[in-house]
C-alpha cells in the first residue's frame, strides 16, 4: 500500500499527504520517511481550521491549548536529526536532545498558563450563566454537525447577527440571544461549535468550557442538514459527541 501511495505522490508531484485518521507520532515519522512528503493527519487539519476561525480570547486560547497538547508528543520527530549530531554510546546528550527538552518545557509552561486563562474565562462564563438561570429563563442550545445550518437557524429565530458561512467550524464562540416564543414565554438560545465524526480528544478537552453550554441547557435543539448525502451518519456522530460530553 505504501509503494502504491509513493507512486501516486510522485506521479502527481504532491508535496503533502492527508490521512483521514489520527496518526501516532511514530506513524507520522515513519510515513514521512517512507513517502518523502509532508504527512498530515485528520486532527492536524481540524486544528488548523479551528485556528483560522478563532476570534475571541477564549476561542484562541482553547485552540492553542489543543494544538500544544497535540504537538507535545510529536516533537521527537523534529528533534531527532539534531540529537544524532552529538549523541553516541556513553557520550553526553546531543544538542538536539537538549533543545528538545527545552522545547518541551516551554510548551508545558504555556499549556499551564493557557489552562489558567481558560479557567478564568470559564468563571466569567459561569457568572453570566448563573445570572441567566436566576432570571428563571430556560436555555435552549443549538447543536449539530459542522456546517449543518445552526447559525442560520439562530439568525432566523432570534434575528441575531451571527456570522453565517458555508464552511466548516465557522462558529467557535457560543452566542446567546433571547427569544420570545409564540405563547409569550421567553427563552435564551445559544449557538454552539459544530461537531464532526471522530472529533479529536484534545479538542473536546480544550473546548470543555464552551461545550458546557450544551450540557447545562434545558433543551437541545439538534439541527441537521436534510440535503446532506450522509445526513444519518451526521446525526449519529452528533449524538455520539453529546454522549461524550455528558449531554446524552
Amino acid at each position: 500500500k505504501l509503494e502504491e501511495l509513493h507512486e501516486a505522490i510522485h506521479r502527481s508531484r504532491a508535496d503533502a499527504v492527508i490521512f483521514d485518521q489520527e496518526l501516532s507520532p511514530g506513524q507520522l515519522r515513519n510515513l514521512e520517511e517512507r513517502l518523502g512528503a509532508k504527512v498530515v493527519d485528520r486532527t492536524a487539519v481540524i486544528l488548523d481550521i479551528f485556528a483560522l476561525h478563532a476570534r475571541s480570547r477564549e476561542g484562541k486560547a482553547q485552540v492553542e491549548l489543543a494544538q500544544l497538547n497535540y504537538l507535545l508528543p510529536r516533537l521527537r520527530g523534529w528533534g531527532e536529526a539534531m540529537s544524532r549530531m552529538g549523541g553516541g554510546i556513553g557520550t553526553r546528550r546531543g544538542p538536539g536532545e537538549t533543545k528538545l527538552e527545552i522545547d518541551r518545557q516551554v510548551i508545558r509552561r504555556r499549556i499551564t498558563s493557557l489552562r489558567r486563562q481558560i479557567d478564568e474565562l470559564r468563571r466569567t462564563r459561569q457568572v453570566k450563566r448563573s445570572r441567566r438561570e436566576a432570571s428563571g429563563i430556560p436555555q435552549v442550545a443549538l447543536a449539530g454537525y459542522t456546517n449543518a445550518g445552526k447559525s442560520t437557524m439562530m439568525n432566523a429565530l432570534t434575528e441575531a447577527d451571527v456570522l453565517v458561512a458555508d464552511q466548516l467550524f465557522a462558529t467557535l464562540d457560543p452566542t446567546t440571544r433571547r427569544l420570545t416564543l409564540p405563547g409569550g414565554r421567553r427563552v435564551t438560545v445559544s449557538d454552539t461549535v459544530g461537531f464532526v465524526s471522530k472529533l479529536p480528544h484534545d479538542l473536546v478537552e480544550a473546548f470543555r468550557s464552551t461545550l458546557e453550554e450544551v450540557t447545562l441547557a434545558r433543551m437541545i435543539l439538534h439541527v441537521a442538514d436534510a440535503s446532506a448525502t450522509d445526513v444519518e451518519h451526521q446525526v449519529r456522530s452528533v449524538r455520539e459527541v453529546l454522549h461524550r460530553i455528558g449531554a446524552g
Side-chain angles (χ1 to χ4, degrees):
K1 195 71 195 174
L2 274 174
E3 278 168 24
E4 209 177 291
L5 260 177
H6 192 271
E7 271 175 41
I9 289 161
H10 291 280
R11 200 169 49 244
S12 61
R13 295 191 178 145
D15 53 12
V17 188
I18 298 173
F19 282 77
D20 189 24
Q21 297 291 340
E22 186 165 327
L23 300 173
S24 70
Q27 286 171 324
L28 273 170
R29 203 165 51 248
N30 293 337
L31 285 165
E32 282 193 343
E33 278 175 16
R34 294 285 296 275
L35 299 174
K38 183 177 171 62
V39 172
V40 181
D41 68 2
R42 179 187 177 86
T43 304
V45 173
I46 292 173
L47 287 173
D48 276 357
I49 298 171
F50 267 66
L52 283 172
H53 295 164
R55 294 282 177 273
S56 70
R57 190 173 152 222
E58 186 175 16
K60 285 175 180 170
Q62 288 170 325
V63 172
E64 191 184 344
L65 177 61
Q67 284 178 319
L68 292 177
N69 278 328
Y70 172 81
L71 179 65
L72 194 58
R74 289 165 176 79
L75 269 182
R76 192 175 144 238
W78 287 284
E80 211 171 41
M82 289 175 70
S83 67
R84 289 194 188 116
M85 285 159 52
I89 298 167
T91 63
R92 288 175 59 209
R93 294 190 302 173
E97 208 170 333
T98 314
K99 180 177 183 313
L100 201 59
E101 275 312 305
I102 294 166
D103 286 348
R104 280 202 181 114
Q105 284 164 20
V106 169
I107 288 175
R108 284 195 188 106
R109 275 200 296 272
R110 182 66 184 148
I111 285 173
T112 306
S113 158
L114 285 166
R115 285 204 171 119
R116 259 200 304 271
Q117 258 186 64
I118 291 168
D119 278 345
E120 281 168 25
L121 292 161
R122 178 190 278 154
R123 279 194 287 275
T124 310
R125 188 191 288 284
Q126 278 169 345
V127 169
K128 286 181 184 171
R129 194 188 290 125
S130 57
R131 278 193 203 130
R132 286 203 303 266
E133 283 168 2
S135 68
I137 297 176
Q139 186 183 353
V140 177
L142 297 177
Y145 209 78
T146 183
N147 209 28
K150 293 180 297 301
S151 298
T152 305
M153 174 74 82
M154 174 84 167
N155 288 344
L157 287 172
T158 66
E159 295 178 3
D161 191 20
V162 176
L163 168 75
V164 171
D166 183 16
Q167 51 186 219
L168 306 176
F169 309 113
T171 305
L172 287 191
D173 306 304
T175 310
T176 303
R177 293 285 184 274
R178 286 197 174 193
L179 168 66
T180 305
L181 298 173
R185 281 187 74 186
R186 287 194 305 171
V187 295
T188 59
V189 182
S190 297
D191 188 14
T192 60
V193 62
F195 298 152
V196 68
S197 58
K198 296 184 281 187
L199 190 67
H201 177 74
D202 288 335
L203 268 182
V204 175
E205 281 307 302
F207 276 76
R208 194 159 286 286
S209 63
T210 304
L211 294 169
E212 274 174 6
E213 292 291 332
V214 183
T215 59
L216 298 171
R218 192 81 59 87
M219 184 175 95
I220 296 171
L221 180 58
H222 181 169
V223 181
D225 177 6
S227 70
T229 50
D230 59 344
V231 63
E232 285 172 13
H233 165 72
Q234 291 188 8
V235 167
R236 274 198 308 276
S237 299
V238 171
R239 286 182 181 158
E240 277 168 23
V241 178
L242 288 172
H243 277 284
R244 264 174 77 183
I245 63 171

